Amino acid sequence: MSTETRAIVNSTAPALQQHGVAITQRMYERLFVDPAVKAMFDEAAQESGEQPRRLAAAILAYAQNIDKLEALTAPVMRMAARHVETGVRPEHYPMVANALLPAIRDILGDAATDEVLSAWGEAYWALAEILIGKEAAMYAQAESNALERIASTR
């Protein structure tokens, strides 16, 4: 990720602090037009606003720590574990990007310049690659554990 991208993403932190929940609520509205994707989410957490608040906090933490991602190791591992629990796969990430980036523009309006959206696109995919890698390892470990259990019962 470029230095310029990190600076732009970090500079959006105040706007995310103020408008993050509105952005994530709008993102979920866009994302949930696909019933199969909507079914992957805890409906109660959506209705209570807990899920949009959690995601907004995660996005804000990412923006604030973009230059020190090691500070996000534990939250990233928790997110990856949750994704594995709910069946998130690499093919879901483009759907989220296609919902999140327009939601940023919807809520921030003119402040979401093409430069800002481009930086967030680059930052999103950098984080997505990290998550996809962690999730792949977790899926592989779960499969290995299942095979070991099967082998041990024979």
Side-chain angles (χ1 to χ4, degrees):
M1 188 173 1
S2 73
T3 302
E4 182 180 355
T5 291
R6 288 193 304 272
I8 292 169
V9 168
N10 183 261
S11 75
T12 65
L16 293 172
Q17 193 157 18
Q18 183 177 359
H19 302 288
V21 173
I23 290 168
T24 57
Q25 287 171 330
R26 181 68 181 122
M27 183 210 76
Y28 285 121
E29 288 171 11
R30 288 175 166 276
L31 192 61
F32 290 168
V33 297
D34 183 336
V37 172
K38 184 175 183 178
M40 296 174 71
F41 288 83
D42 177 351
E43 195 170 325
Q46 286 298 323
E47 289 176 9
S48 72
E50 177 186 348
Q51 180 65 36
R53 284 191 302 274
R54 276 196 317 244
L55 181 57
I59 293 170
L60 175 61
Y62 186 47
Q64 292 171 327
N65 292 285
I66 196 93
D67 285 325
K68 48 189 180 300
L69 292 180
E70 64 279 358
L72 299 176
T73 300
V76 165
M77 293 305 291
R78 283 192 301 273
M79 188 180 297
R82 181 68 179 140
H83 285 176
V84 169
E85 287 173 18
T86 58
V88 171
R89 295 290 181 170
E91 59 268 20
H92 295 119
Y93 283 88
M95 295 175 196
V96 173
N98 291 334
L100 176 61
L101 297 174
I104 292 171
R105 177 158 277 159
D106 288 351
I107 301 302
L108 298 185
D110 293 340
T113 64
D114 290 344
E115 183 181 46
V116 166
L117 291 178
S118 177
W120 265 104
E122 184 181 341
Y124 171 83
W125 283 109
L127 180 57
E129 288 176 20
I130 292 168
L131 287 165
I132 289 167
K134 303 275 185 215
E135 292 158 11
M138 289 177 180
Y139 280 120
Q141 184 62 51
E143 185 176 318
S144 176
N145 292 347
L147 291 173
E148 285 177 19
R149 281 192 301 276
I150 291 169
S152 70
T153 60
R154 291 184 176 183

